[in-house]
Amino acid sequence: MSTAETTSADITRAEYCVTACADIFTGAGEIMASPMATTPLIGARLARLTTEPDLLITDGEALILADTPAVGKSGPVEGWMPFRRVFDVVASGRRHVVMGANQIDRYGNQNLSAFGPLQQPTRQMFGVRGAPGNTINHPTSYWVGNHTARVFPTQVDIVSGVGFDKVDERNPAFDDLNIHRVVTNLGVFDFSGPGHTMRALSLHPGVTAEQVAENTGFPVADLESAPETAAPTAEQLQIIREVLDPKSLRDREVRS
Amino acid sequence: MATKTDKTSSLDDVVAELRDGMTIGIGGWGTRRKPMALVRAIARSNVKDLTVVAYGGADIGLLCAAGKVKRAYYGFVSLDAAPFYDPWFAKARTSGAIEAREMDEGMVKCGLEAAAARLPFLPIRAGLGSAVLDFWEGELKTVESPYADADGRTQTLIAMPALKLDAAFVHLDIADAHGNAAYTGVDPYFDDLFLAAADRRYLEADQVVSTEELVNSVARERLLINRMNVDRVVHTPNGAHFTFAGGYGRDGAFMKHYAASAADDASWSAFRTRFLDVDEATYQTEVSKWQAEQEEAK
């Protein structure tokens, strides 16, 4: 298949999601990109192969990759990053993580711990993991492959990732809180709405404002005026399809 | 001539030193190089009301299944691969059987470092603004810096208390009889910190060799543990099973069998009878048989 002949109609929802995830890292510079799912992983590697060559990426275990291999592949190494050194990087602020979320509210509070009361939940997930430390220390974005009102409720059950309404302006320890983006199967969002609330930056082609409103448990700022998500460039499509994800693993994560 | 202490011990020697209500730390991470032979021995013992500190995986799960856990301090509990959530930890939580002192992953490291340095706390940013403070029900406090920032404001941080352990349990790939030990995989995890934070320190190892053989078999930087921080050394070939260690991978099929067996009383009873109510040697034999059965069934 020649990508030069690709028309916009051929571009899949997952490919819009991947390029939106790549755009999370625009301007990030020489920091560690830590994507925690397939779509943002392809996105981070796409950014590294295009506009952000100085990003550090790892194999998800303990090795820093010198090259930018396909999803699921490893390759030459440029350094060592065992778990305890990841916490040093977190504290340094030189990192941008893209986490998943069981719940996200309109201020960017996130839950991946459990549903229900703290000491007797109705459903147990992972616990808070690194979410409190990530969100308080360095840029954090979220990836949601199935945008529903259950994932975006008015309130999260357990605050794992810290949202903007928790910031104490008098305490400089909160100064680095930066929930940068939320990329979903429906669109791209940030928290620049009134009072640091969730705002629509763009909706993927074919997605309507009504569809987003129906699937979000709170009002989304600028939803009616949000433009269409920019189409991937021919270069981006070639890299996604031929270099990074030839088996199209991206499609498994994206509800369309 | 005086000689260094030979710390070689059996699992029974270790179990004999356990006490009800102990706070124990378990090394490894999720389902990575967990001291599973020691965990199985603790699960079989009569000890109860344990407080467990860990980067949790099936270790916490098995101790919950055996009803040993009263309180748990953890950054997460994960099987690291499908089905990801440990079923016995989930049951203990949803039934309210354990008190959770959930925290950020970085706070576990911080608390162990405080204990290792004999400090009452260390300041950390992680935890601020999150539900961690609620989980700790007043046990977790903040501390204000005596030094103002350049703009005149003052940082208030989490005062992570020392995670002081009565006992720590870790699995290393290769050790000597005195408690020197090395990891051969890609990550040391936090095992040296767990030992340094504990009063009694228990090391299990796949291989126990002479000191000379140990130091000649690995690069110097891999000698993570020295004998100051070890009280007993237990030789446990394949002891980290079904988690992975330097010399072998995670047994994903057996882990799925463990998780699926938690679904109902009958299947758990069968799992328990075959793999848990038995000594370590029988466990290893039965695991080998089970693996052969799976091969035949293919």
Side-chain angles (χ1 to χ4, degrees):
Chain A
M1 183 187 69
S2 165
T3 48
E5 292 163 18
T6 303
T7 65
S8 61
D10 299 328
I11 303 170
T12 66
R13 180 67 59 81
E15 286 161 350
Y16 278 92
C17 291
V18 166
T19 48
C21 283
D23 191 46
I24 286 174
F25 296 101
T26 299
E30 198 155 33
I31 60 151
M32 194 159 101
S34 297
M36 299 295 182
T38 300
T39 303
L41 184 143
I42 301 166
R45 293 187 184 190
L46 178 60
R48 197 182 196 238
L49 287 173
T50 53
T51 63
E52 301 296 323
D54 288 329
L55 286 174
L56 283 81
I57 60 170
T58 73
D59 65 350
E61 186 93 40
L63 301 175
I64 309 174
L65 298 174
D67 293 346
T68 310
V71 57
K73 302 279 189 220
S74 198
V77 165
E78 64 170 325
W80 188 46
M81 187 59 65
F83 286 126
R84 74 169 64 184
R85 288 180 70 178
V86 173
F87 297 138
D88 297 338
V89 176
V90 169
S92 81
R94 303 194 62 80
R95 185 170 183 249
H96 191 144
V97 68
V98 185
M99 289 188 284
N102 295 91
Q103 296 175 315
I104 299 173
D105 74 12
R106 69 183 307 194
Y107 296 101
N109 294 289
Q110 171 254 26
N111 177 22
L112 48 57
S113 171
F115 291 136
L118 293 182
Q119 293 298 347
Q120 190 170 352
T122 54
R123 180 162 182 245
Q124 179 64 42
M125 283 92 76
F126 285 123
V128 297
R129 295 220 73 149
N134 291 341
T135 46
I136 203 81
N137 277 298
H138 58 62
T140 298
S141 295
Y142 295 109
W143 158 245
V144 175
N146 185 16
H147 186 139
T148 67
R150 282 188 62 177
V151 180
F152 293 94
T154 52
Q155 224 179 351
V156 304
D157 290 24
I158 295 174
V159 177
S160 311
V162 180
F164 284 103
D165 61 338
K166 301 295 186 294
V167 170
D168 178 355
E169 305 260 344
R170 297 161 303 175
N171 183 359
F174 283 92
D175 285 1
D176 291 324
L177 187 128
N178 176 11
I179 312 305
H180 178 67
R181 291 276 166 84
V182 178
V183 176
T184 81
N185 59 320
L186 301 185
V188 183
F189 307 86
D190 70 4
F191 292 91
S192 300
H196 278 301
T197 52
M198 194 163 106
R199 175 182 72 144
L201 288 176
S202 69
L203 306 186
H204 304 322
V207 176
T208 64
E210 293 70 33
Q211 194 181 348
V212 175
E214 277 171 23
N215 287 288
T216 310
F218 48 82
V220 179
D222 294 351
L223 188 54
E224 298 298 332
S225 57
E228 202 167 83
T229 304
T233 65
E235 184 198 16
Q236 285 180 317
L237 282 175
Q238 185 260 326
I239 293 171
I240 295 168
R241 293 172 179 178
E242 295 171 27
V243 179
L244 290 176
D245 187 25
K247 290 179 183 163
S248 239
L249 297 175
R250 59 193 178 277
D251 289 328
R252 296 188 197 171
E253 247 182 28
V254 181
R255 181 67 66 91
S256 54
Chain B
M1 198 179 84
T3 56
K4 289 174 199 160
T5 305
D6 184 333
K7 298 170 184 170
T8 312
S9 305
S10 67
L11 290 169
D12 288 340
D13 293 334
V14 175
V15 167
E17 294 183 2
L18 300 177
R19 298 290 175 263
D20 293 349
M22 270 185 151
T23 296
I24 66 167
I26 303 175
W29 170 285
T31 52
R32 301 160 200 238
R33 218 180 67 225
K34 282 283 174 180
M36 296 301 282
L38 285 163
V39 168
R40 287 185 283 268
I42 297 167
R44 285 195 301 274
S45 75
N46 294 320
V47 73
K48 58 181 190 293
D49 297 332
L50 296 174
T51 290
V52 180
V53 179
Y55 290 103
D59 51 339
I60 284 190
L62 281 175
L63 294 179
C64 285
K68 302 298 184 191
V69 184
K70 183 184 174 202
R71 179 181 275 199
Y73 290 77
Y74 57 91
F76 63 82
V77 176
S78 172
L79 298 179
D80 295 317
F84 292 101
Y85 306 139
D86 183 275
W88 283 106
F89 175 70
K91 282 184 198 206
R93 290 273 289 133
T94 54
S95 66
I98 60 173
E99 294 169 36
R101 293 290 177 265
E102 194 166 304
M103 71 191 103
D104 175 77
E105 293 170 12
M107 292 171 70
V108 179
K109 169 176 174 272
C110 186
L112 293 172
E113 286 172 337
R118 298 177 296 160
L119 296 170
F121 72 91
L122 280 170
I124 186 168
R125 211 178 278 115
L128 287 172
S130 76
V132 168
L133 285 146
D134 305 321
F135 267 108
W136 284 55
E137 300 176 330
E139 239 185 87
L140 186 64
K141 301 182 194 309
T142 57
V143 61
E144 190 179 347
S145 172
Y147 310 104
D149 281 10
D151 65 3
R153 292 180 302 158
T154 306
Q155 292 200 34
T156 297
L157 298 156
I158 298 287
M160 180 63 207
L163 291 169
K164 289 191 282 188
L165 308 173
D166 296 315
F169 303 87
V170 302
H171 179 103
L172 274 291
D173 305 310
I174 181 165
D176 70 12
H178 311 296
N180 299 301
Y183 70 101
T184 62
V186 78
D187 198 318
Y189 309 115
F190 302 81
D191 290 355
D192 51 334
L193 281 179
F194 276 97
L195 296 178
D199 289 336
R200 292 291 292 174
R201 295 79 46 93
Y202 301 101
L203 165 70
E204 62 167 69
D206 292 304
Q207 297 180 66
V208 178
V209 299
S210 71
T211 305
E212 187 183 7
E213 190 178 342
L214 167 67
V215 300
N216 287 336
S217 67
V218 294
R220 298 290 182 259
E221 297 78 11
R222 290 185 171 280
L223 294 164
L224 184 70
I225 310 296
N226 61 62
R227 59 193 166 80
M228 271 186 290
N229 281 341
V230 176
D231 294 297
R232 288 190 181 277
V233 177
V234 187
H235 183 211
T236 57
N238 204 40
H241 182 267
F242 47 90
T243 72
F244 68 70
Y248 43 88
R250 181 187 293 119
D251 188 343
F254 190 85
M255 186 171 85
K256 281 183 184 161
H257 180 52
Y258 153 75
S261 297
D264 60 72
D265 289 347
S267 56
W268 185 249
S269 175
F271 185 91
R272 197 177 143 177
T273 304
R274 185 171 183 188
F275 298 111
L276 298 177
D277 293 342
V278 296
D279 63 18
E280 180 65 16
T282 308
Y283 172 83
Q284 295 291 350
T285 306
E286 288 301 318
V287 166
S288 296
K289 281 189 202 163
W290 184 87
Q291 289 165 336
E293 288 161 17
Q294 301 306 301
E295 278 303 310
E296 280 172 31
K298 274 180 188 171

